[in-house]
């Protein structure tokens, strides 16, 4: 027997993909290929190897941007969390970035850095950085004060308090911030490919739209969404197993 | 931060940053960074210009339209999912998926399906905002005190009464929290939509100004957008705080 | 002189939080090898006093003497047991217990040997590699106690250590604590808001009253101390002392 959650997942997938198929067959729009046509196109893109080449291109600015944001973002975040002065100075910038539609800066980024990979990486960075900084600084500030007192009463130095108490205690939330940063980075990477210059997956999407090869366009979009969601799910799983006891252990 | 024992309010460092901006701008460090004062002068020039007012109103229509659909679909669906296990299991995987999916990728689809106009941008905005509203509403309903529902039932409340008088209100703090994040995401959605479908609203102004290298015009719009987004998000945060007493009572 | 008798003395301590006066001219002696309770209603500054002795808080005025020396920051002569245990959720029981020694740069194998010994002593044999979230509240506090014992400080500061564990565990803890005071030649300073607990475990009880915070009296229960753990709770002096303290405190309870 199949378990109830799995049955329901299958049922729900069947429902959505089925209605996609039906809606398309009913011919509501010329630019709306059926589910099966789109999956066929995805298959063609896969066996021709085109999709792998495209992803290699798309992932370049994404990975670079996320790595840069991680290092700089966590660094700034820890510093903001530890220093009241630095907090006062830079936090407002990231708070505003967090609520602002940063995509509006893209035309400026293009003017300043051209249409190459630098611009795309930059877009990924500005999208991913704020949430990483704010999560990190929040986590550092929220270190349970009695853990810090404990370390002090057992004679730890400032450095040891940071390395042995604050960083470990903040790491689950920092990691969650990184996951959100990756999620924002995906949005940035795709936005960059659609807005700046069509490369990678963005190229397949734009090109097949121009040539009215709609199944390929849907296939490419489908694949990037699935990829992003799967990757973020994996990150979430890792997070859960890595920090299993962390949020449970502290409370009395 | 404190100076001579006087606590500086939180966002005051922005004044310092504004000064740095002004100085860098005056030193002509970069063509892309005009002095802040000249941006404000430009803003004073264009804020009642036809193009600006039209862009702002088009954006407002798309934004509130998108947010409206996100609310009227999202909140009831969230309540349903919180109440009914079957509905929950049917929809939750999809909601979670779209929550973390890079929705930007869907914009080209919307463009071919719904055209290069307002309709597509409204849908983009809804798509950006709706998932968090559903998830938060659902979470709010899920944590409702069981005895509150029993109380309503014991007084003979019918399902519609329970829906409107108990579930909605009991989940209100979470719903408002969801609306706040949904709002922030909607702002991002409406701008991303306009950037990619660049013939309406601020999208067309961005194209115009950047193609003519009108830097202070460009920055003027950015400042307006960022300031609006930040102000409204702070107002909603204040509103959310007013419902904090709910959470403490749940214990 | 007096430092032969008293392990810890506080003299003329003042502590303000902003405009609120938490402690005013507080002086108190803690005799060596004995358990002294700080007992009082909430807001009487007992935890503040304990944290000042620990060196975690600085008094606005006044001195703390440990073995005759003025101290103003944490030192190896004092170990703290926390109300909320203050265990590191990411570290095993073994590492948590050895943490004090880790910070004192004791070599890993040596500190783990010491930690194992005290884990055994507090009755957590076999839980060395468990994590705090896998333990019950009572077991967590045993870890906190083992950590404090393993640094072998002459003074143990305990901040309502049993308030977050259930009543049965708490009784067991109190009995174990009596045993510990007898066996170890350490000085215990014990903060509690439970009258029964204070009278039961203490050699001397300092009753603190709030607004302004002051020591109202010091009671030294004596006659029942040598009885076995079970008969203390039935002892008439024990019951009378509890009754007497309640009478003097009741007017401060709303």
């Amino acid at each position: 027997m199949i378990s109830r959650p799995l049955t329901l997942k299958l049922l729900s997938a069947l429902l959505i993909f089925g209605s996609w198929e039906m809606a398309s067959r009913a011919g509501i729009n010329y630019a709306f290929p059926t589910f099966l046509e789109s999956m066929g196109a995805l298959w063609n893109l896969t066996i021709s190897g085109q999709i792998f080449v495209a992803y290699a291109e798309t992932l370049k600015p994404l990975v670079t941007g996320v790595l840069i944001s991680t290092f700089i973002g966590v660094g700034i975040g820890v510093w903001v969390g530890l220093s009241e002065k630095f907090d006062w100075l830079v936090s407002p910038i990231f708070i505003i970035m967090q609520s602002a539609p940063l995509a509006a800066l893209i035309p400026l980024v293009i003017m300043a850095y051209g249409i190459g990979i630098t611009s795309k990486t930059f877009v990924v960075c500005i999208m991913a950085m704020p949430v990483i900084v704010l999560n990190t600084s929040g986590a550092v500030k929220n270190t349970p004060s009695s853990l810090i007192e404990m370390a002090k009463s057992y004679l730890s130095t400032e450095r040891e308090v940071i390395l042995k108490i604050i960083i470990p205690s903040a790491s689950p939330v920092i990691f969650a911030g990184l996951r959100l940063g990756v999620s924002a980075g995906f949005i940035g990477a795709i936005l960059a490919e659609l807005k700046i210059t069509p490369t990678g997956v963005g190229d397949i999407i734009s090109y097949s739209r121009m040539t009215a090869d709609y199944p390929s366009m849907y296939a490419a979009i489908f694949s990037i969404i699935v990829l992003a969601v799967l990757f973020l799910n994996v990150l979430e799983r890792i997070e859960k197993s890595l920090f299993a006891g962390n949020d449970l252990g502290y409370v009395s | 931060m404190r100076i001579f024992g006087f606590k500086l309010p939180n966002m005051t460092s922005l004044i310092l940053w504004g000064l740095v901006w002004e100085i860098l701008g005056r030193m002509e460090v970069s063509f892309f960074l005009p002095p802040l004062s000249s941006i404000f002068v430009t803003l004073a020039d264009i804020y009642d210009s036809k193009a600006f007012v039209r862009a702002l109103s088009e954006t407002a229509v798309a934004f509130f339209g998108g947010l409206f659909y996100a609310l009227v679909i999202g909140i009831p669906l969230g309540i349903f999912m919180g109440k009914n296990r079957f509905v929950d299991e049917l929809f939750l995987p999809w909601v979670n998926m779209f929550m973390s999916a890079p929705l930007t990728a869907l914009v080209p689809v919307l463009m071919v399906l719904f055209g290069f106009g307002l309709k597509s941008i409204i849908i983009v905005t809804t798509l950006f905002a709706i998932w968090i509203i559903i998830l938060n509403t659902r979470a709010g309903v899920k944590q409702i005190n069981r005895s509150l529902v029993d109380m309503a039932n014991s007084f003979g409340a019918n399902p519609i009464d329970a829906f409107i008088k108990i579930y909605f209100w009991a989940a209100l703090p979470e719903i408002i929290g969801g609306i706040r994040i949904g709002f922030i995401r909607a702002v991002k959605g409406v701008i991303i939509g306009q950037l990619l479908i660049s013939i309406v609203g601020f999208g067309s102004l961005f194209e115009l100004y950047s193609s003519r290298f009108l830097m202070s015009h460009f920055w003027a719009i950015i400042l307006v957008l960022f300031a609006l987004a930040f102000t409204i998000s702070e107002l909603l945060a204040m509103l959310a705080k007013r419902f904090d007493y709910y959470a403490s009572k749940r214990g | 002189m007096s430092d032969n008798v008293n392990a810890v003395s506080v003299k003329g301590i003042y502590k303000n939080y902003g405009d609120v006066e938490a402690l005013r001219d507080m002086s108190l002696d803690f005799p060596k090898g004995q358990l002294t309770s700080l007992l009082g209603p909430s807001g009487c500054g007992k935890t503040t006093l304990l944290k000042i002795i620990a060196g975690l808080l600085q008094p606005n005025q006044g001195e703390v003497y440990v073995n005759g020396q003025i101290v103003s920051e944490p030192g190896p002569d004092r170990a703290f047991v926390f109300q909320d245990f203050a265990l590191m959720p990411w570290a095993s029981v073994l590492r948590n217990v050895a943490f004090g020694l880790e910070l004192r740069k004791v070599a890993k194998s040596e500190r783990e040997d010491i930690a194992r010994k005290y884990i055994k002593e507090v009755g957590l044999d076999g839980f060395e590699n468990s994590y705090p979230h896998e333990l019950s509240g009572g077991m967590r506090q045993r870890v906190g106690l083992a950590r404090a014992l393993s640094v072998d400080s002459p003074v143990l500061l305990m901040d309502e250590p049993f308030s977050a564990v259930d009543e049965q565990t708490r009784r067991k803890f109190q009995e174990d604590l009596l045993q510990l005071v007898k066996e170890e030649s350490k000085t215990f300073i014990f903060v509690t808001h439970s009258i029964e607990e204070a009278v039961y475990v203490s050699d001397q009880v300092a009753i603190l009253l709030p607004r302004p915070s002051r020591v109202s009296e010091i009671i030294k229960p004596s006659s029942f101390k040598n009885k076995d753990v079970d008969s203390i709770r039935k002892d008439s002096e024990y019951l009378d002392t509890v009754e007497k303290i309640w009478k003097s405190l009741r007017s401060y309870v709303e």
Side-chain angles (χ1 to χ4, degrees):
Chain A
M1 285 298 288
I2 319 174
S3 67
R4 179 183 154 100
L6 189 63
T7 320
L8 272 162
K9 261 183 199 156
L10 288 174
L11 182 66
S12 134
L14 202 68
L15 203 74
I16 299 283
F17 293 134
S19 40
W20 175 354
E21 185 77 20
M22 290 310 203
S24 159
R25 292 205 177 183
I28 52 167
N29 196 307
Y30 69 96
F32 194 43
T34 68
F35 174 66
L36 293 176
E37 275 169 4
S38 304
M39 291 304 107
L42 185 59
W43 176 249
N44 288 335
L45 286 171
T46 313
I47 49 169
S48 71
Q50 210 182 333
I51 200 122
F52 300 109
V53 180
Y55 272 110
E57 193 67 29
T58 300
L59 291 180
K60 241 184 272 167
L62 179 61
V63 172
T64 327
V66 166
L67 284 180
I68 294 175
S69 311
T70 301
F71 280 110
I72 300 180
V74 171
I76 294 180
V78 170
W79 194 4
V80 166
L82 292 175
S83 152
E84 210 181 321
K85 288 196 179 89
F86 196 64
D87 183 20
W88 174 81
L89 190 64
V90 304
S91 277
I93 293 180
F94 290 101
I95 292 171
I96 287 187
M97 279 174 86
Q98 174 78 331
S99 66
L102 290 173
L105 289 174
I106 291 181
L108 193 78
V109 173
I110 301 175
M111 281 189 279
Y113 296 103
I115 55 170
I117 189 161
T118 321
S119 284
K120 290 175 184 167
T121 312
F122 195 83
V123 171
V124 173
C125 283
I126 56 173
M127 299 291 240
M129 195 96 77
V131 68
I132 297 179
V133 170
L134 293 178
N135 260 45
T136 307
S137 66
V140 169
K141 282 185 211 161
N142 282 331
T143 310
S145 60
S146 89
L147 275 184
I148 295 175
E149 281 189 341
M150 184 276 289
K152 282 188 180 152
S153 79
Y154 287 102
L155 309 177
S156 73
T157 59
E158 283 295 314
R159 213 179 107 88
E160 282 172 323
V161 171
I162 295 172
L163 290 180
K164 298 193 172 190
I165 301 292
I166 292 176
I167 303 274
S169 143
S171 43
V173 182
I174 294 179
F175 198 92
L178 292 183
R179 182 165 50 80
L180 295 174
V182 171
S183 172
F186 262 104
I187 293 182
I190 295 165
L191 190 57
E193 289 199 327
L194 291 176
K195 180 71 194 173
I196 301 179
T197 38
T199 48
V201 183
D203 186 35
I204 301 184
I205 297 174
S206 306
Y207 181 77
S208 47
R209 199 183 88 204
M210 273 194 303
T211 56
D213 177 10
Y214 294 120
S216 294
M217 176 182 153
Y218 279 68
I221 292 171
F222 183 84
S223 74
I224 185 92
I225 289 182
V226 168
L227 181 84
V229 170
L230 282 184
F231 184 65
L232 291 168
N233 265 326
V234 170
L235 281 184
E236 205 174 342
R237 292 265 162 89
I238 296 177
E239 194 177 318
K240 274 190 184 144
S241 65
L242 220 52
F243 305 114
N246 244 6
D247 40 350
L248 301 167
Y250 187 70
V251 280
S252 42
Chain B
M1 170 149 120
R2 285 168 187 280
I3 286 180
F4 306 122
F6 174 73
K7 193 172 182 308
L8 286 171
N10 266 337
M11 302 298 280
T12 42
S13 64
L14 289 177
I15 299 168
L16 193 70
W17 287 111
L19 277 175
V20 172
W21 184 339
E22 178 69 23
I23 292 166
L24 290 179
R26 296 249 169 133
M27 285 163 64
E28 297 185 8
V29 175
S30 161
F31 162 74
F32 301 106
L33 202 71
L36 193 56
S37 54
S38 75
I39 296 170
F40 281 120
V41 171
T42 312
L43 181 59
D45 274 351
I46 60 169
Y47 85 96
D48 54 356
S49 74
K50 225 182 207 165
F52 182 80
V53 172
R54 208 186 65 204
L56 194 62
S57 58
E58 276 175 357
T59 308
V61 169
F63 174 75
F64 287 110
L67 203 58
F68 173 76
Y69 288 116
L71 291 176
V72 298
I73 301 169
I75 294 178
L77 183 58
I79 295 183
F80 253 124
M81 287 172 63
K83 274 182 65 171
N84 186 309
R85 190 175 152 203
F86 180 73
V87 177
D88 195 34
E89 281 172 305
L90 210 57
F91 283 99
L92 190 61
W94 294 99
V95 175
N96 272 328
M97 192 193 107
F98 278 109
M99 182 68 205
S100 54
L103 296 166
T104 330
L106 285 176
V107 178
V109 173
L110 300 174
M111 279 156 75
V112 295
L113 285 182
F114 301 103
F116 292 73
L118 188 63
K119 211 181 195 183
S120 291
I121 296 178
I122 290 181
I123 297 174
V124 176
T125 312
T126 306
L127 277 179
F128 265 74
I130 195 168
W131 314 110
I132 186 68
I133 295 175
I134 297 176
L135 282 179
N136 260 39
T137 308
R138 170 185 177 274
V141 170
K142 284 228 150 196
Q143 58 69 41
I144 288 177
N145 195 339
R146 186 64 227 170
S147 59
L148 209 56
V149 179
D150 289 342
M151 181 276 291
N153 287 337
S154 76
F155 286 116
N158 63 38
I160 295 172
D161 268 349
F163 202 83
I164 297 171
K165 292 187 178 162
I166 301 291
Y167 286 99
F168 178 78
W169 291 100
L172 196 58
E174 280 83 0
I175 294 179
I176 289 180
I179 293 176
R180 192 175 93 85
I181 309 175
F183 171 88
I184 295 173
R185 291 174 63 112
V187 174
K188 297 179 179 181
V190 83
I191 295 300
I192 287 176
Q194 292 190 0
L195 266 181
L196 293 178
I197 312 170
S198 48
I199 53 169
V200 262
F202 285 112
S204 62
L205 279 190
F206 285 139
E207 289 293 314
L208 182 73
Y209 294 155
S210 61
S211 63
R212 293 193 196 161
F213 294 98
L214 293 167
M215 291 322 299
S216 18
H217 286 75
F218 192 88
W219 276 112
I221 302 179
I222 300 255
L223 286 190
V224 169
L225 281 178
F226 281 25
L228 275 178
F230 178 72
T231 313
I232 306 184
S233 120
E234 286 301 294
L235 286 178
L236 283 168
M238 275 163 59
L239 185 68
K241 261 208 185 115
R242 294 193 54 183
F243 287 92
D244 269 359
Y245 71 95
Y246 262 62
S248 61
K249 271 189 186 157
R250 283 175 193 145
Chain C
M1 317 185 319
S2 69
D3 30 306
N4 295 327
V5 190
N6 295 323
V8 178
S9 300
V10 297
K11 297 212 164 83
I13 299 274
Y14 286 80
K15 176 71 186 173
N16 300 326
Y17 292 110
D19 297 335
V20 183
E21 197 174 40
L23 296 172
R24 181 199 285 177
D25 197 17
M26 176 77 74
S27 296
L28 203 54
D29 294 323
F30 301 89
K32 209 169 254 182
Q34 296 201 357
L35 191 149
T36 304
S37 285
L38 302 172
L39 173 68
S42 47
C44 72
K46 49 195 192 302
T47 295
T48 304
L49 181 61
L50 194 72
K51 287 193 172 167
I52 288 174
I53 296 172
L56 292 169
L57 289 175
Q58 298 305 319
N60 295 87
Q61 203 183 316
E63 289 91 36
V64 177
Y65 297 86
V66 177
N67 291 321
Q69 305 289 317
I70 292 189
V71 295
S72 59
E73 49 186 34
D77 44 11
R78 284 149 292 153
F80 206 104
V81 179
F82 291 84
Q83 181 177 10
D84 61 358
F85 320 141
L87 301 182
M88 300 175 293
W90 57 87
S92 66
V93 167
L94 188 61
R95 180 157 180 238
N96 264 301
V97 172
F99 192 64
L101 297 165
E102 182 183 334
L103 293 172
R104 284 173 202 190
K105 311 284 181 288
V106 177
K108 191 173 162 99
S109 60
E110 190 186 338
R111 68 178 189 243
E112 289 190 345
D113 286 344
I114 298 173
R116 280 205 180 83
K117 181 183 146 217
Y118 284 101
I119 290 171
K120 200 167 184 179
E121 195 170 311
V122 299
L124 285 178
D125 222 358
F127 288 96
E128 287 85 354
N129 296 317
S130 303
Y131 283 79
H133 68 100
E134 298 163 333
L135 306 179
S136 69
M139 289 159 92
R140 286 181 203 169
Q141 193 53 295
R142 287 178 190 274
V143 177
L145 189 61
R147 176 175 60 199
L149 291 172
S150 66
V151 294
D152 200 25
S153 304
V155 178
L156 247 68
L157 309 171
M158 308 177 94
D159 182 15
E160 303 195 22
F162 309 149
S163 64
V165 300
D166 64 74
E167 188 55 32
Q168 288 80 2
T169 317
R170 187 171 183 150
R171 282 195 166 214
K172 182 77 176 74
F173 264 123
Q174 293 164 357
E175 291 172 6
D176 291 352
L177 184 60
L178 271 183
Q179 206 59 40
L180 200 66
V181 178
K182 266 182 203 156
E183 284 165 8
E184 306 260 345
S185 55
K186 291 185 193 298
T187 307
F188 293 77
I189 303 177
F190 186 91
V191 166
T192 181
H193 56 243
S194 157
I195 301 171
E196 286 85 354
E197 180 168 277
V199 176
Y200 184 81
V201 299
S202 312
D203 298 300
Q204 91 173 9
V205 182
I207 298 171
L208 270 58
L209 292 178
R211 286 169 299 243
S213 196
R214 63 196 185 272
V215 181
S216 82
E217 67 187 300
I218 294 175
I219 294 172
K220 301 195 178 192
S222 54
S223 68
F224 53 82
K225 275 291 142 184
N226 295 321
K227 297 194 172 178
D228 66 287
V229 287
D230 292 324
S231 26
I232 294 180
R233 289 187 215 273
K234 290 176 231 144
D235 185 276
S236 65
E237 194 201 336
Y238 165 81
L239 293 169
D240 288 347
T241 314
V242 169
E243 187 61 25
K244 189 177 136 205
I245 296 176
W246 169 235
K247 274 187 180 139
S248 64
L249 280 181
R250 88 190 304 166
S251 60
Y252 290 90
V253 182
E254 290 90 0

